[in-house]
Each structure stands twice: as structure tokens, then as C-alpha cells.
Amino acid sequence: MSDLSYDPWSPAFVADPYPAFEELRAERPVFFHEPTSQWVISRYEDVNALLRDRRLGRTYLHVAGHEEFGQRPEAEFLKPFWDLIRAGMLDVEPPTHTRLRRLVSKAFTARMVEGLRPMIRRLAGDLAGALAAKGGGDLLAEVAEPLPVNVIAEMLGVPAEDRSLLRPWSADICGMYELNPPEEAQRTAVRAAVEFSDYLRALARTRRDEPRDDLITALTQVVDEGDRLTEDELIGTCVLLLNAGHEATVNATGNGWWSLFRNPGELERLRGDLSLVPTAVEELLRYDTPAPMFERWVLEDITVAGVDIPRGAEVALQFASANRDPEVFADPDRLDLARDPNPHITFGLGIHYCLGAPLARIELAESYSALLSAAPRLRLAAEPKWKPGYVLRGLESLQVEC
Ligand code: HEM
């Protein structure tokens, strides 16, 4: 078998990576992919174990310099981007990660998230109702995007008139997370990082002077045993929450509906029994994983399924493949909206486990329920196209009729 079956730049692979993963899991569950210089890991057991293994990290900078890890020093022009990203918890490791996650968790509580449910239900109902009233449109642009963008903005306290700025900034920043991004995309990401932080710095200062009942205010006030977030950490956290808080949810909604349209029997089953929504949310997250791959640096030599991987290497953990592993999921290519148990790893595992998983679950449940109720005959109007990127894998648009 050649490496070509795993081709994250090929539109065919992006549209349907699952046959390639089936082959990889069976024949080469751990292999080195030259074009990305990454070790590709495709079995559930291995992905699961590596996510919990402290010999790997999302960064190596807490233990080594770029040179030691065989990497070129970062270009000077990227500094504003990396300063911003490394001020949030996702791209740091303990002890900094432990400290940031503890502080942010004190403001981003389960109670606060559950308290958002009525607002999310109202918003989902309004968006679904508007789509149904005009007989259809682009489900992605008209429901999947505005719901999580407005929820996260509302939660943080970004004024309504500024919200249209968020998605372009976030999309530009996320361009850096695609594999081997071109320099133009890197420069765009830096520009967005600077503009986004300037905007949030001004907003955070306003909230510090005039506190409100929102998460930015709470983050400016949070104190844990005398420790608090610095201003840079506060800004890094807001950017992380605003980006992580909607990118994957938009794609999860679009991919989820596309899965339902391709499985009309299951869609009918759900329409007939809305009590299936909670297990349907989990199954749709498993069946077509919106964030299909996460990377880790190898901080100490490891052996995975008998293959030695040295310190300094990078692994690409294929969540989408793990979620279709027949060793864990019976009949994994079948969409079963009542699947239970469903130990998918779409929200990750270990210390970086998605902080927003409870919020994402509420948003998805409310948006599926709202659309199923407002548009009981919702159907596909045109075959959708995928956006080119594999790392943030989602549809360009999803045209529907009601
Ligand atoms: C369907 C939607 C979502 C998916 C599939 C998803 C997936 C993930 C995954 C896989 C990780 C861990 C990455 C890794 O281990 O390398 C993660 C981390 C994170 N997510 Fe989510 N996420 C979603 C929605 C959200 C939402 C709504 C929020 C916030 C409001 C959020 C905030 C975060 C944060 C802050 C982290 C970093 C946690 C840490 O480093 O400790 N996510 N997410």
C-alpha cells in the first residue's frame, strides 16, 4: 500500500477519508508520512493511549528549543501570532497549562454553561424558524454558523454590532492550523491575531472598569489562591474561546446534517422520536468527526504498536479514524442514532480534553431539535462541496429546502 491513500490535500480524501483509514488501521496503523513529516496514527487504542501519555505534548517549548527538535526558528513576523496563541491554554503544557485551565475553569463553570440553555434554545428556534419561513437556503450560513458565533459572543460579552468581525478573524487565525500553511496564509493569520487582540484588549479594559454579567468580566476578576490571569493571558483565553467555541461546532452541525441526509432511514427515525437527540448528537460527532486530526510532539522516545518513534518527532492522531475503529465500535460505518455506549474521542482526552464539550453538546442538541421541529420535511437541495482544508474539515455550504 502506498502513502497516497492518506492524502490530506486531496479533495477526494477530504470528502471521504474513511476508506483510506480502514486500510491504514488494518495494514499500517503507524507510519511515517514524508510530505508532512508526521507519524500517522490511526487505531483507536493508540490514539487514546497517546492522548493521555505525558511523554507527548502540544508543544515542546517547555522542554527544548526549536533547534533541538529539528525545527527552524520561528520567523520573526510570526511573533505576534505565537505570543497570542501561547497565552491561551491549548498550546501550552504543564505547569502553565494546569494553571491557566484552573483559572479559566473558575469562570467557565458547568452552571454558567447550563444557564445559557434558554438563550441557545431561543436563538436556535429563531434561526430555524427563519430558514423554514423562506422555504430553505444555506443551512450552514443561516443556522450552523450564526448559532455558535452568537452564543460564544453573548457568553463572553462581545457587543452584537461587533460580532460580524469574529468569524473572519477566527477563520484567518485557524488558517495556520492547516498542514504546511503557505506564507500568505501565515501573514493573514498574523494580521488577524493583531487586530483581534487589539479589539479584545480594549473590550477587556472597558469591562474591568465597568463590570458586567459576562465571561470577559468574570475572567478579569478571577482569582485562585492569590493567582490571576495576566492581561495577555486574558486576551489569549478570549481568542481561544471565541475560535474554539465556534469553528468545530459550525462544522459539526454541517457534517451532522450531511450525514443525516445520506442516511434517510436514520433521519426518519429521529424525526419520529426526538428523544433520540442526545444519542444522535454523540453518534453524528463520531460518524463524521468535525476536527479529524490533532497533533502532538514526542518529548521522549516512545513505541507505538511495535514501532519506535524518537523524541523530536511529530504524531498526527487521526480522531476520525479512531472513531470508526471496528475494535471499539460495532459496525462502525453504520450511522446508528441510538448507539450506546459511544466512547468516541471527538472532544479529545487527557489534560487538553475540550473545555467547551458541555456547551457544544447543548448547542448541537438545540439546533438539531429546532430544525427538526421547524422544518419537518427538511431535505437536501444540492450536493454540498467540502472546503479544501482537512484539519478543520467542513462543508462550504449546505443548500436545503423545507
Ligand atoms: C463540536 C464542537 C467541538 C469540538 C469537536 C471540539 C473539540 C476539541 C478537541 C478535540 C480539543 C482538544 C485538542 C487536543 O487535544 O489537541 C478541544 C480543546 C478545547 N476546546 Fe473544544 N471542541 C468543540 C467545541 C468547543 C466549544 C463550544 C468551546 C468553548 C466555548 C471549546 C473550547 C475548547 C478549549 C478552551 C480547548 C482547550 C482545552 C485545553 O487545552 O485544556 N470547544 N476541543
Side-chain angles (χ1 to χ4, degrees), residues 150-226:
N150 279 293
V151 167
I152 194 75
E154 181 77 27
M155 184 178 103
L156 271 153
V158 175
E161 63 272 20
D162 297 341
R163 290 182 192 169
S164 61
L165 298 167
L166 301 178
R167 182 120 176 101
W169 276 335
S170 163
D172 288 348
I173 287 177
C174 289
M176 276 288 276
Y177 290 106
E178 287 302 339
L179 293 160
N180 306 356
E183 183 172 328
E184 195 190 323
Q186 300 186 34
R187 291 198 180 272
T188 304
V190 172
R191 224 172 11 250
V194 171
E195 286 175 19
F196 206 171
S197 356
D198 287 351
Y199 171 80
L200 284 167
R201 203 173 297 276
L203 187 62
R205 285 184 184 163
T206 314
R207 291 294 187 275
R208 194 169 286 131
D209 298 341
E210 297 163 33
R212 288 210 199 152
D213 183 18
D214 60 31
L215 187 57
I216 297 189
T217 306
L219 288 169
T220 64
Q221 293 173 344
V222 72
V223 184
D224 185 61
E225 292 173 10

Side-chain angles (χ1 to χ4, degrees), residues 111 153 171 242 251 273 327 362:
R111 220 174 99 221
L242 284 162
N251 291 337
D273 180 3
E327 292 292 323
I362 295 177

Side-chain angles (χ1 to χ4, degrees), residues 8-45:
W9 292 287
S10 131
F13 178 83
V14 172
D16 184 9
Y18 299 105
F21 283 139
E22 189 179 343
E23 216 175 300
L24 286 177
R25 281 191 309 268
E27 293 175 29
R28 276 206 299 170
V30 178
F31 80 97
F32 187 72
H33 182 245
E34 298 276 354
T36 51
S37 304
Q38 291 179 332
W39 291 84
V40 174
I41 317 281
S42 52
R43 281 188 188 155
Y44 185 98
E45 187 189 348

